[in-house]
Amino acid sequence: MTSLSRRSVLKGAAALGGTSLFSAPSFADSSLPVLRAAPASAQLAPDGYPSTPVWAYATEAKGRVPGPEIRLTAGERVGYRLVNDLPQPTAVHWHGIRIENAMDGAAPLTQAPVPPGEGFDYDFVAPDPGTYWYHSHNRSAEQVARGLAGPLIVEDREPWLRESGAATRELVLVLDDWLLDRDAGIVEDRWDDLHAASHGGRMGNTVTVNGVAYPELDIQPGERVRLRIINTATDRIMPLSLPHLSPRLIALDGHPVAPREIETLVLGPAQRADVVIDGRIDGETTAGLLLDPGNEEWVEIAEFVVSGDTLASRGSDVRPLPAWGTLAAPDLSSPQREVLLMEGGAMRAMLETTYRESLGFQDLTKHGMVWAFNGIADGMDKPMFQAALGRTVRMEMTNRSMFLHAIHLHGHHFTVLSQSGAANMEGDVRDTVLIGADETVEVAFVADNPGQWMIHCHMLSHQKSGMMAWFEVV
Ligand code: C2O
Ligand code: CU
């Protein structure tokens, strides 16, 4: 019995029922189920270690990490009353959902952070099927590191599972990276670590899959399973591989791709991949999900235990996911051109950077700023650009630093037009793109969602130390 099979699966907002488990007198008239953010504890480190005090989301009495799975069908409503029982203000962002601006949870841009003891009603429709997640969007470098993240699964309206060539089952794999001390507590005295922020960010020492270190996952020989893999780490880029399981990629950041074989899969923070695997039929009883922690020494972070009857082959071709049909195609004939220049970090100076006023590098670091977009650190004062509703924006993103960045646009998905590096992602539709040192990526999207939208690096240590801005669709 794996911990996965005990995972609670919530079938759509309607099935969440009332909020009777909670007594929140100030919201007694609410019809929305409660999503509570509160301290909790979780057994993150292997057996024999103490449990870890975390901050967690709860739809039932007990908070868990990752947060409870929210599952619905495309076009359905998600409705929760966030109740904040944390010692800090918070807000929930529904990552990758092309949402109405007021529901985006992007504090302080789209709402004020919710103070301790208070609440906020989130109520929106999720238009596009796919694998998403929700997470804190206030002091996120700290709050996500403490555990405030969970999976949000939007099922297709059209059937796919069990159709010919498709998977017969799916597994959601929430990957996370924790910086734990000897007693398995979260290291708390390094939230302002500028050394980490000016490098690759806050790296953990414990990787969990669905909140468990090194879980075992059951699979039958020949069984075709759809993995919905989500990187919820604050900063860790996760190169992954699934040897002996014939992995084929079918979606990125929720959006379908033509099924393609993959040897390795690099998931930056916030990125998702849907991958189909086939249980090995060569008589071996295990296969691993491997991660490269950065030194190309692949380590197993979860183990598939292959057992039971051998299932009939589903064939070598994998059935593509149904197309979204909801995303406007960019019109590249005369797009609005924008540039996103990433500068800063260790080993490369930032030139002429503005933070509130123009400051030299020394002064910037005193404010905790070590990164800039287009010469501005933490550009929250005014929009980076404005686009008229319905206009195609073509954006050239250039990384002039020594580190990778995971650039995320709120409220939109974009098409990758070109990438100067080796990997070929042309044509992929994403909400978060990983850009290597000295690499340029060009993307395009239709600015069809009105409002104020954040654009930031999803390495949350980088976001916090300057890689933050917003654009406006009017
Ligand atoms: Cu996943 Cu600005 O967020
Ligand atoms: Cu970054």
Side-chain angles (χ1 to χ4, degrees), residues 404-406 457 459 462 467:
L404 289 95
H405 302 291
C457 180
M459 279 124 169
H462 293 173
M467 296 194 117

Side-chain angles (χ1 to χ4, degrees), residues 250-378:
I250 56 168
L252 286 170
D253 295 351
H255 189 276
V257 300
R260 59 192 197 224
E261 287 177 24
I262 43 167
E263 238 166 71
T264 57
L265 171 73
V266 181
L267 277 193
Q271 292 187 316
R272 291 87 63 211
D274 287 47
V275 176
V276 161
I277 57 169
D278 290 338
R280 64 193 300 180
I281 48 170
D282 57 3
E284 296 293 327
T285 56
T286 60
L289 168 60
L290 311 187
L291 174 135
D292 171 12
N295 51 10
E296 295 189 29
E297 294 201 8
W298 294 86
V299 294
E300 205 162 298
I301 58 169
E303 184 164 86
F304 290 92
V305 177
V306 188
S307 67
D309 296 337
T310 301
L311 300 180
S313 164
R314 311 280 300 164
S316 55
D317 287 348
V318 167
R319 186 187 193 83
L321 291 169
W324 273 10
T326 40
L327 192 70
D331 169 8
L332 296 172
S333 56
S334 63
Q336 174 172 335
R337 291 186 179 262
E338 299 293 341
V339 161
L340 179 73
L341 182 64
M342 293 154 246
E343 288 178 304
M347 298 179 277
R348 293 265 180 100
M350 281 194 288
L351 306 166
E352 294 173 64
T353 301
T354 302
Y355 173 71
R356 312 292 185 250
E357 53 185 316
S358 184
L359 291 177
F361 189 70
Q362 290 299 323
D363 289 315
L364 281 167
T365 59
K366 277 184 212 142
H367 291 279
M369 294 293 135
V370 289
W371 297 100
F373 282 161
N374 298 345
I376 300 175
D378 195 38

Side-chain angles (χ1 to χ4, degrees), residues 197 199-201 235 342 371 373 399 401 403-407 434-435 456-463 465 467:
H199 291 74
D235 295 274
M342 293 154 246
W371 297 100
F373 282 161
N399 178 0
S401 79
F403 297 88
L404 289 95
H405 302 291
I407 301 300
L434 201 54
I435 304 174
H456 62 88
C457 180
H458 222 290
M459 279 124 169
L460 300 178
S461 306
H462 293 173
Q463 176 194 24
S465 54
M467 296 194 117

Side-chain angles (χ1 to χ4, degrees), residues 48-67:
Y49 285 88
S51 62
T52 302
V54 294
W55 290 357
Y57 291 117
T59 49
E60 297 162 4
K62 206 167 155 301
R64 60 180 74 226
V65 289

Side-chain angles (χ1 to χ4, degrees), residues 9-17 69-73 76-77 80:
V9 176
L10 304 172
K11 276 275 171 197
L16 293 174
E69 179 179 295
I70 297 172
R71 187 178 279 263
L72 63 144
T73 299
E76 285 181 354
R77 213 180 123 215
Y80 284 99

